[in-house]
Amino acid sequence: MAVVSWKEILLLTGLVVGCYWNSLSCGFVFDDVSAILDNKDLRPSTPIRNLFQNDFWGTPMSEERSHKSYRPLTVLTFRLNYLFSELSAASYHFLNVVLHAVVCVLFLRVCRLFLDNTSSLVAALLFAVHPIHTEAVTGVVGRAELLSSIFLLAAFLAYTKSTGRDHSIVWAPIALTVILVAAATLCKEQGITVVGICCVHEVFVAQGFSLPMLLDTLRQVLQGKDGFPYALLQTLLKLIVLVISTLLLVIVRVQIIQSQLPVFTRFDNPAAVSVIPTRQLTFNYLLPLNAWLLLNPSELCCDWTMGTIPLVESVLDLRNLATLLFYTFLGLLAYYSLRYSHSSSKTVIMALSFIVLPFIPASNLFFPVGFVVAERVLYVPSMGFCVLVAHGFKIISHKGYLKKISWLVIGVLLATHAVKTFKRNWDWESEYTLFTSALKVNKNNAKLWNNVGHALENQNNYDTALRYFLQATRVQPDDIGAHMNVGRTYKNLNKSREAEDAYLVAKSLMPQVIPGKKYATRVAPNHLNVYINLANLIRANESRLEEADQLYRQAISMRPDFKQAYISRGELLLKMNKLSEARDAYLRALELDRTNADLWYNLAIVNIEMKDPSEALKNFNHALELNPRHKLALFNSALLMQESGEPKFWPEANRRFLIYVEEEPEDANGYFNLGMLAMDANENVAAERWMKRAIGLQAGFRSALFNLALLYSQSKREIDALPALDELLRHHPEHIKGLILKGDILMNHKKDTNGAKACFERILSVDPTNVQGKHNLCVVYFEERDLPRAESCLEETLALAPNEEYVKRHLSIVRSKMAAMSSAGQPLTARGETTSAQEEKPLKGVEDREEEVSEGEKEGRGANAVGKGAGNEKNVRKSSTERLGGVGVDQSESLDSSQSDKRTKGKSTKEISDIEGKRAAALKRLEEIERILSGD
């Protein structure tokens, strides 16, 4: 048995790289999205044990909606990719190319068992370049085929060494075979079929039996003529060990799927739900169709479901001739390989075993699967096909006059296949290129029209997407998903009436409830999203909230484990201010999935609405335990800590805001709140840096501009505050607190009474009842020595705030001053005159610090939306808080001798009040905190 040389390994590897290097530029398409992008099992935050509890797509095997495809070793390799490159598609494609090269080398090693060196190399070269493999190699999810094939071939090679030179049993290779079979099965289910291949090899190759010889031996044994041959006994013993091991694997596999087959609809596999004889005729016709794809891979398609292959409904259908021809040819090959025991028949029998046995699980002949034809499942069967082609080449090339022709044919075949494979890889570059290429092959598959529409929808090209979705409804009028897509696109185009009509059509196509029959077994889980989408649409109308709630409850009644329905209903109940019911909805969803960070986050929002911040913080922390970089949980939990007013929480709040700005570096709110925390901690340099960063990202950021000015004012850098205030008032000319602060700085630090007066007059033009602005204008009049006007102004101010003692005192000061000046015969107004500071004692302005809140909001997708079009909104609680600094004249007025040079000490208080704002589609939450620092 010849080994594989390094030259052959380099040749195969080079050929694979040459055919597939352009796959490195492809993205994640089709099933890759669910298996890679949406699969939480790839994330390091997910425990490794989840890989062995969930299916290939990350859904718990215990859930009814699970696909029941148990491939934890394949998912583990995806997780390793994620560990090194996260979601960089190139690394995933690179590993697939490497694995395909490994399979090619192992396959060459296997071929050397049945073919000569030249023919086996031809078989391996053909396998390396065959275009049918593009789906398995270029499609990332095809890694299941690649890994399973590696272990399958390794298991077979191990088993071939289980017979010693003295024909005794060598148990170590058999034990290794069982381990490798288990590994192959954990990569993909078809890996277990290698046991059948090993059995065929043992009987017809290792022991050299032909079918007549085997039957004759068994007849003699049963008649008791020659006893039980020792060689046959050894064979039976080895086969019994293999079969028992296989049965144990099957039992474990059945236990894992909890004895449940996955739920497939008639759209996935129309023949599976057809009547006799349509089902049998169609499934048998699919066999020659798959064989034709191996023979002529010129028209490849990524999706063969729905109407791609019309049902064979009659025995008179001409396609039955293809079925008959296929079985005739297969029968002749089987007869030839079983009838004789020479080397050629052994090669054919092994080729047939590689073709037939691995294909049985996908054949639909024994149990239905979720597809009609899938090119990637032909990856292992194509090995047997390549062996047959190479064997035929060997026979023909040994005829002298055909030798050159046979080499020419093989050369052309390899070249054309390599070119086809290379070109086919470009189809997998994006979802748009993939599905448009499929439509060139098949225009009767509504799913393809839908998927092109999805690709255009992802590019926000809704008008063109709508045309494809409408075409899908014409190709397959009863396709629920197509009508849902139409509805969603109309919604994106702001055509609510048309969207509702489309959803109602989809809803009318749902299977009717049959008493005594489980509804969930007759409907695809994602089709129930029609209730969610319709409810999400109509709940925008405040008068139809109860109608939306009825739709959510209807979906839940149809499928009690429909997690998305609980999530969406919880959001609606929160909008309806039914807080207890909203909490119960989220708790019920958490019973179904306690590992969903979004659910814990939404529950925390309900806790905030219920005025339970401690419970909200606990639930935010639950969300962050499951997803440490959950952006909304990071932001809102940090904000909650910040608003608590407890310094012990500030370091953790700061850490979470820092992580948040790593995730959302363009969101000014994150930097602003870091600045607020720094101000709380009196870290003025850091606060200034964060505020400037926020302003740089969001021009005219009101809260950041004002608090930056306030920071300068508190740091005795009043002149630096003026540019920030000018910028603030340029964007927000009626910002009262900004006007007050600017007026104070102009009057006390720039000695610009005219500029200060303009600020205070602007305040009163916006809000004539503003006591602080009115009072400070009175102070300006006093500074201008217009005492009658100052008196009149203070009287008006006192009328607005009759209980303010400082206004009363200042009015008393003005009147005393006026009386003294009248007694001295001095004029009460001295406009344009100058007076020394010793002669004039100015009034002290009121200092006021309070907080103003600007609304911030952020929208996000709901937790685990099922299928496209199952969108929902997340509650958002995100506020940008603005501190308002007090202003006043930086001088004091002595009222009498007992109060000479004495200032009343300011008292500080802190209030936290929640202001519940109106929640629109995103359930916006506006929370306001007021901190008032007042002093005389």
Side-chain angles (χ1 to χ4, degrees):
M1 181 170 59
V3 296
V4 178
S5 68
W6 280 106
K7 291 182 180 179
E8 291 170 325
I9 293 175
L10 291 175
L11 175 61
L12 286 171
T13 303
L15 192 59
V16 168
V17 171
C19 288
Y20 286 100
W21 70 263
N22 58 333
S23 69
L24 301 184
S25 63
C26 297
F28 295 116
V29 298
F30 205 14
D31 290 339
D32 298 346
V33 176
S34 298
I36 307 298
L37 299 182
D38 299 338
N39 192 346
K40 294 181 180 179
D41 287 347
L42 272 64
R43 279 53 174 177
S45 58
T46 302
I48 289 289
R49 65 176 180 274
N50 284 27
L51 274 64
F52 297 90
Q53 297 171 352
N54 299 342
D55 66 13
F56 188 53
W57 317 98
T59 305
M61 295 291 290
S62 57
E63 291 191 13
E64 192 171 14
R65 65 189 178 93
S66 169
H67 194 270
K68 309 302 181 186
S69 48
Y70 188 66
R71 304 163 190 173
L73 293 187
T74 302
V75 179
L76 182 61
T77 66
F78 292 152
R79 185 167 175 137
L80 291 174
N81 269 120
Y82 188 92
L83 181 64
F84 286 105
S85 63
E86 293 193 350
L87 294 177
S88 171
S91 73
Y92 294 79
H93 290 294
F94 174 76
L95 185 53
N96 273 24
V97 173
V98 171
L99 292 175
H100 181 52
V102 173
V103 174
C104 292
V105 174
L106 285 174
F107 178 57
L108 175 58
R109 186 72 175 81
V110 169
C111 289
R112 291 280 156 86
L113 299 174
F114 325 119
L115 297 168
D116 59 32
N117 290 353
T118 302
S119 301
S120 58
L121 183 59
V122 168
L125 291 173
L126 180 59
F127 179 81
V129 303
H130 203 295
I132 202 70
H133 299 155
T134 51
E135 183 171 345
V137 181
T138 309
V140 177
V141 295
R143 187 175 300 176
E145 264 74 26
L146 304 175
L147 288 170
S148 180
S149 298
I150 288 174
F151 289 115
L152 181 148
L153 294 173
F156 178 73
L157 288 172
Y159 184 79
T160 59
K161 298 179 181 179
S162 63
T163 302
R165 293 183 178 180
D166 57 352
H167 300 287
S168 61
I169 299 176
V170 182
W171 290 106
I174 294 178
L176 179 59
T177 298
V178 172
I179 294 173
L180 292 171
V181 169
T185 307
L186 291 175
C187 293
K188 190 172 183 183
E189 298 77 8
Q190 70 179 23
I192 202 169
T193 59
V194 70
V195 174
I197 298 174
C198 291
C199 292
V200 171
H201 178 270
E202 178 66 30
V203 174
F204 296 103
V205 178
Q207 300 301 327
F209 284 108
S210 64
L211 186 60
M213 291 171 58
L214 182 62
L215 294 176
D216 184 61
T217 302
L218 291 176
R219 184 174 60 254
Q220 292 182 15
V221 169
L222 292 175
Q223 293 175 353
K225 293 182 178 179
D226 297 329
F228 207 92
Y230 181 71
L232 187 58
L233 181 63
Q234 284 188 315
T235 299
L236 284 176
L237 185 58
K238 292 167 68 175
L239 296 183
I240 287 172
V241 170
L242 282 180
V243 171
I244 291 176
S245 301
T246 303
L247 289 176
L248 289 175
L249 287 174
V250 171
I251 292 171
V252 171
R253 182 70 172 79
V254 171
Q255 289 295 319
I256 290 172
I257 66 172
Q258 300 182 356
S259 304
Q260 294 179 341
L261 288 175
V263 177
F264 299 120
T265 68
R266 60 190 177 87
F267 300 109
D268 299 316
N269 192 345
V273 295
S274 300
V275 297
I276 298 174
T278 299
R279 181 168 64 249
Q280 289 74 18
L281 291 174
T282 303
F283 283 156
N284 280 280
Y285 169 69
L286 295 179
L287 301 179
L289 182 62
N290 279 280
W292 180 249
L293 288 175
L294 290 174
L295 282 168
N296 180 31
S298 59
E299 293 186 342
L300 300 178
C301 182
C302 62
D303 193 303
W304 296 80
T305 57
M306 303 188 84
T308 303
I309 302 171
L311 297 174
V312 182
E313 298 178 315
S314 168
V315 293
L316 300 179
D317 193 311
L318 292 178
R319 288 175 293 174
N320 290 318
L321 294 177
T323 306
L324 184 61
L325 181 63
F326 171 79
Y327 275 114
T328 300
F329 183 70
L330 185 66
L332 289 174
L333 286 176
Y335 175 80
Y336 171 79
S337 61
L338 295 173
R339 178 71 177 82
Y340 305 102
S341 59
H342 48 67
S343 61
S344 178
S345 64
K346 292 178 181 179
T347 300
V348 173
I349 190 81
M350 290 310 303
L352 290 178
S353 67
F354 271 95
I355 292 174
V356 174
L357 296 178
F359 187 73
I360 286 177
S363 67
N364 281 291
L365 295 178
F366 299 97
F367 50 83
V369 294
F371 54 83
V372 180
V373 173
E375 293 164 11
R376 62 176 174 265
V377 303
L378 293 175
Y379 189 76
V380 177
S382 68
M383 295 179 184
F385 170 79
C386 291
V387 170
L388 283 180
V389 172
H391 185 54
F393 163 78
K394 173 186 173 182
I395 294 173
I396 294 174
S397 63
H398 284 173
K399 300 179 184 285
Y401 62 95
L402 293 177
K403 183 175 182 179
K404 292 183 179 180
I405 295 177
S406 62
W407 275 106
L408 178 63
V409 170
I410 285 295
V412 171
L413 185 64
L414 292 175
T416 55
H417 276 27
V419 171
K420 172 65 176 178
T421 297
F422 186 82
K423 291 181 63 177
R424 175 63 174 160
N425 289 332
W426 290 122
D427 292 340
W428 290 80
E429 185 177 16
S430 67
E431 293 204 324
Y432 181 77
T433 57
L434 179 65
F435 297 125
T436 51
S437 71
L439 281 176
K440 296 175 184 176
V441 176
N442 170 36
K443 290 181 170 57
N444 296 320
N445 185 341
K447 191 173 179 182
L448 294 176
W449 292 99
N450 280 322
N451 284 331
V452 174
H454 287 313
L456 291 166
E457 187 180 34
N458 291 335
Q459 301 170 10
N460 296 325
N461 190 352
Y462 297 121
D463 290 312
T464 309
L466 180 61
R467 292 201 294 270
Y468 279 89
F469 291 141
L470 289 171
Q471 180 61 25
T473 63
R474 288 189 283 269
V475 170
Q476 187 90 30
D478 58 351
D479 182 8
I480 297 172
H483 291 285
M484 290 169 62
N485 292 333
V486 171
R488 187 182 62 258
T489 309
Y490 274 130
K491 181 182 178 182
N492 289 331
L493 292 170
N494 297 318
K495 297 181 178 181
S496 299
R497 171 48 56 189
E498 292 87 345
E500 184 173 349
D501 291 341
Y503 285 140
L504 289 173
V505 172
K507 182 171 173 284
S508 69
L509 293 171
M510 296 290 288
Q512 299 301 309
V513 175
I514 300 176
K517 189 169 183 180
K518 197 171 183 180
Y519 188 82
T521 61
R522 300 183 299 110
V523 62
N526 63 323
H527 285 171
L528 281 175
N529 284 316
V530 66
Y531 294 94
I532 306 300
N533 291 351
L534 181 57
N536 289 345
L537 177 70
I538 66 175
R539 79 182 193 185
N541 186 338
E542 296 287 337
S543 65
R544 302 181 71 183
L545 297 183
E546 290 293 343
E547 184 181 349
D549 188 34
Q550 176 63 30
L551 287 167
Y552 291 136
R553 285 187 277 121
Q554 187 175 356
I556 291 170
S557 68
M558 291 178 172
R559 196 178 187 95
D561 66 345
F562 192 12
K563 179 175 56 183
Q564 187 60 43
Y566 292 106
I567 294 171
S568 298
R569 185 167 185 252
E571 294 168 358
L572 176 66
L573 292 169
L574 190 57
K575 184 177 183 178
M576 298 169 71
N577 204 32
K578 296 181 178 181
L579 302 181
S580 297
E581 293 182 55
R583 180 190 59 196
D584 293 342
Y586 285 130
L587 289 174
R588 175 69 180 108
L590 282 168
E591 290 177 10
L592 299 172
D593 183 7
R594 297 189 66 82
T595 64
N596 190 312
D598 291 322
L599 282 175
W600 290 105
Y601 169 80
N602 286 354
L603 182 59
I605 296 298
V606 177
N607 295 139
I608 290 176
E609 293 291 328
M610 297 180 75
K611 307 299 187 293
D612 191 353
S614 61
E615 191 66 23
L617 187 57
K618 283 198 292 187
N619 289 324
F620 278 138
N621 290 339
H622 276 305
L624 292 171
E625 287 172 7
L626 294 167
N627 181 4
R629 305 189 81 83
H630 191 291
K631 291 181 285 191
L632 293 178
L634 282 167
F635 185 93
N636 288 291
S637 62
L639 189 61
L640 195 62
M641 292 176 177
Q642 180 183 4
E643 292 170 353
S644 70
E646 297 187 34
K648 66 180 182 181
F649 287 137
W650 292 349
E652 177 61 18
N654 191 75
R655 186 189 69 83
R656 294 187 183 187
F657 278 132
L658 286 172
I659 298 174
Y660 176 79
V661 297
E662 288 179 10
E663 295 293 309
E664 291 286 343
E666 301 301 316
D667 187 355
N669 287 293
Y671 300 102
F672 169 75
N673 281 281
L674 282 167
M676 296 297 291
L677 277 172
M679 288 181 71
D680 284 334
N682 294 319
E683 298 173 357
N684 292 344
V685 175
E688 180 181 358
R689 183 177 72 253
W690 293 127
M691 291 298 181
K692 286 183 174 179
R693 185 72 179 273
I695 295 166
L697 289 170
Q698 182 179 324
F701 192 161
R702 185 181 66 179
S703 303
L705 284 165
F706 180 81
N707 282 285
L708 179 60
L710 179 60
L711 176 66
Y712 287 140
S713 178
Q714 292 173 339
S715 304
K716 308 302 181 185
R717 298 167 58 189
E718 288 83 357
I719 304 304
D720 291 339
L722 286 176
L725 288 169
D726 289 339
E727 181 73 7
L728 169 67
L729 295 172
R730 186 170 68 84
H731 289 91
H732 309 283
E734 298 180 353
H735 191 281
I736 291 175
K737 303 305 179 182
L739 288 165
I740 289 175
L741 182 55
K742 182 178 179 181
D744 173 59
I745 294 173
L746 290 174
M747 186 163 61
N748 291 309
H749 299 280
K750 299 283 287 186
K751 306 305 180 183
D752 181 1
T753 55
N754 289 330
K757 183 196 292 188
C759 291
F760 300 140
E761 287 175 344
R762 177 63 179 165
I763 291 170
L764 294 176
S765 70
V766 174
D767 180 12
T769 64
N770 187 282
V771 175
Q772 188 176 354
K774 185 77 171 177
H775 173 264
N776 284 5
L777 182 61
C778 301
V779 174
V780 174
Y781 295 149
F782 184 85
E783 289 293 313
E784 292 177 338
R785 297 197 306 276
D786 190 346
L787 298 184
R789 194 170 185 182
E791 180 188 27
S792 173
C793 179
L794 286 168
E795 288 172 348
E796 293 173 2
T797 306
L798 188 61
L800 293 173
N803 297 321
E804 291 291 348
E805 291 297 327
Y806 72 88
V807 179
K808 294 178 181 178
R809 286 197 307 273
H810 291 173
L811 180 58
S812 176
I813 291 171
V814 171
R815 286 174 174 171
S816 297
K817 183 71 173 175
M818 291 173 67
M821 293 179 69
S822 296
S823 298
Q826 296 178 355
L828 298 181
T829 60
R831 297 176 184 268
E833 298 181 10
T834 60
T835 305
S836 66
Q838 288 80 9
E839 294 176 328
E840 188 66 70
K841 295 181 180 179
L843 291 179
K844 174 183 175 295
V846 61
E847 292 184 356
D848 182 21
R849 282 174 53 91
E850 64 184 49
E851 194 171 72
E852 183 176 303
V853 176
S854 68
E855 179 181 349
E857 65 186 51
K858 190 178 185 68
E859 292 184 2
R861 290 179 62 91
N864 276 358
V866 182
K868 298 193 177 183
N872 71 60
E873 299 101 7
K874 252 185 222 160
N875 301 324
V876 176
R877 179 180 169 274
K878 196 167 175 186
S879 64
S880 302
T881 307
E882 184 176 287
R883 292 180 175 177
L884 303 180
V887 301
V889 181
D890 191 19
Q891 299 173 13
S892 61
E893 172 73 18
S894 296
L895 302 183
D896 54 40
S897 59
S898 65
Q899 292 179 311
S900 180
D901 297 326
K902 180 179 178 182
R903 298 188 59 170
T904 304
K905 293 183 179 179
K907 296 181 180 180
S908 63
T909 61
K910 181 162 31 178
E911 280 186 355
I912 298 179
S913 61
D914 295 329
I915 296 179
E916 298 178 357
K918 181 181 178 182
R919 291 182 176 276
L923 300 178
K924 302 171 185 175
R925 173 163 169 56
L926 177 63
E927 183 178 276
E928 179 171 308
I929 298 174
E930 296 184 355
R931 298 173 183 170
I932 302 176
L933 299 175
S934 61
D936 294 333

